[in-house]
Amino acid sequence: MTEIYHAALMALAKSAHGHGRLAVRDATATLDNPLCGDRVTIDVAIAGGRVDRVTQEVKGCALCQASASAIGAAAPGQEIEGLRVVAAALRAFLQTRAPLPEAAWSALAAFAPVAERKSRHDCVLLPFDALLRAIDAALARAAGA
Amino acid sequence: MSFDPARLRAEFPILARTVHGQSLHYLDNGATAQMPRAVLERIVRHESESRANVLRGVHALAEAATEAFEAARATLARYIGAGNADEVVFTNGTTSAINLVAHGFGNNLAAGDEVVVSALEHHSNIVPWQMLRDRRGVVLKVLPVTAEGRIDMTALERVIGPRCRLVAITHCSNVTGAITDVGRIAAAARAVGAALLLDGAQVVPHGPVDVAALGADFYAFSGHKMYGPNGIGVLWGRRERLAAMAPLLGGGEMIRSVSFAETTYADAPHRFEAGTPPIAQAVGMAAAAEWILAQDREGWAAHERRLTGRILDGLALRDGVRVIGPLGLQGRAPVVSFAVAGAHPHDICEVLDQSHGVALRGGHHCAQPLMELLGVSGTTRASLGPYNDDGDVDALLRGLDHALQLLRR
Ligand SMILES: Cc1ncc(COP(=O)(O)O)c(C=O)c1O
């Protein structure tokens, strides 16, 4: 019935891993969900093809908070190309129930019941979209520098 | 005829359906209200017996369709107290009605002229004026709101100044439910020679209005919020106002004569109705107005007021729940928005839908500037219709407790 909001998901949302802003960062991305007005801001610092540090701030629903929290917990230290794969896999997980990637992202399994609720997919995907946008901005900046 | 919500409920086929295996508790009437059988049947009858294009054929069906379309116009004119049916322009809804004014009236404005809106407005009464500002250098000014979510009347004189050409405000907020004290605003607009546009989308579902008594120059509303179809709405404008407006769309049915050298336009309302209009929708919208007029509206209003009071009381009893809008029943529509500490509106709506079959609206309600002002990212909104009953309110409050338990743990 309301299994979307199971204990693990709420715990992930409440723990708000990586919440805050980076004082020293390579890029920031802020994305809005026009449907509900949710807003996610992701700061990244990159180094040698990896995301070194990430922070997240969410003004939004529990799903969006949990997703950003998962990023805050698992993204630091990960390879950029690997993060692209994770973001695509999460999308496929919601849309077609394709399997999730490696162990570092096992927390994403908490979103399994959201697959049924198409109108809420964007709530989960918004932080990942913001993460990739921030990474791309950081890479562009590095290339221009 | 006395008011009987159970009888009224039975007139709405959709209310018999279940959602997620539970009875439907439809409390999203402010977004779209449901259609009674009388309206549904009128639409089917029109499409079954009189379907044809309007204003261009002479065969029997074309005449019947044109007659039904123009009769719908006359009915809606009566519903809003318009002196003349020619002042009723069919549009796709409130949004396109306001855009029509922003174009036709707005393009007669000069740089530096002012348009005044309020901070309560739906995006449909903000964005068209911003587009006009960008097009013509018109200045957009904003009436502030009080902590109760009403237009702040103490600001009228300061904001509505000598360069003001139009005051465009909501007759009732779709977020706070506050009904605007139009008289004072009309007087302030009149004092500087400005026109007055009212967004009546949230008012006409609760009964007829009198545009002349309101002192308005334009009145905009939608069919789908007043128990009629979507894809149809009305712009009412005073005859001389409409006559001074250029059309927004060009095409068939809006012309007097066309040559490659020159085209002359038809008079209002047809000047603003280029192309084949939503005919069955217009017929359905008029049927909805007739259906409203046939109800015991005093009983209806008292019933909605009582249920609104129950919701306000129920919310007041719950920790961390704050009503966004007037706390009392005076000068408010049966639209109740609230914010919950520690729980997001979409999560609340999701839980209530899934666990209790309650349909609510959550989010910014197309009023992001207002959300910002009120310091909330969004609200959860329950909006009532006459078919709602105590069972709906019980489900709302029970579902809310369940949601709070789930989301605040
Ligand atoms: C106050 C108000 N104005 C305008 C609108 C827009 O109406 P429509 O979407 O039918 O054009 C709405 C509907 O949400 C509303 O509540």
Side-chain angles (χ1 to χ4, degrees), chain B residues 275-311:
Chain B
T276 300
I279 302 160
Q281 288 87 336
V283 168
M285 184 176 178
E290 281 168 354
W291 178 83
I292 294 173
L293 290 172
Q295 307 304 313
D296 164 15
R297 282 190 283 78
E298 262 178 43
W300 165 335
H303 173 72
E304 283 181 345
R305 202 160 40 242
R306 185 178 68 76
L307 295 181
T308 304
R310 276 201 61 202
I311 295 174

Side-chain angles (χ1 to χ4, degrees), chain B residues 93-95 122 124 170 172 174 199 201-202 222 224-225:
Chain B
T94 306
T95 303
H122 189 280
S124 64
T170 191
C172 172
N174 63 309
D199 171 353
Q202 293 294 338
S222 299
H224 68 100
K225 295 183 197 287

Side-chain angles (χ1 to χ4, degrees), chain B residues 2-11 303 306-307 386-389:
Chain B
S2 77
F3 186 79
D4 177 1
R7 181 191 55 77
L8 206 124
R9 214 177 160 84
E11 291 185 40
H303 173 72
R306 185 178 68 76
L307 295 181
Y387 39 65
N388 289 124
D389 59 16

Side-chain angles (χ1 to χ4, degrees), chain B residues 46 52-57 62 64-70 253 275-277 279:
Chain B
H46 177 83
N53 215 317
V54 290
L55 300 168
R56 45 181 117 175
T66 302
E67 197 171 304
F69 185 62
E70 294 305 328
E253 280 171 311
T276 300
I279 302 160

Side-chain angles (χ1 to χ4, degrees), chain A residues 79-98:
Chain A
E79 284 186 13
I80 285 170
E81 290 318 307
L83 289 173
R84 292 190 203 282
V85 172
V86 170
L90 177 60
R91 194 174 298 273
F93 176 63
L94 292 175
Q95 289 173 352
T96 65
R97 295 164 190 267

Side-chain angles (χ1 to χ4, degrees), chain B residues 30-32 91-98 120-125 170-175 199-203 220-225 230-233 361 365-366 381:
Chain B
T32 282
T91 67
N92 300 124
T94 306
T95 303
S96 59
I98 296 172
L120 279 183
E121 302 311 313
H122 189 280
H123 292 164
S124 64
N125 197 25
T170 191
H171 192 178
C172 172
S173 165
N174 63 309
V175 176
D199 171 353
Q202 293 294 338
V203 173
F221 57 107
S222 299
H224 68 100
K225 295 183 197 287
N230 50 28
I232 185 76
R361 174 89 182 269
H365 309 289
C366 300
R381 180 186 74 182

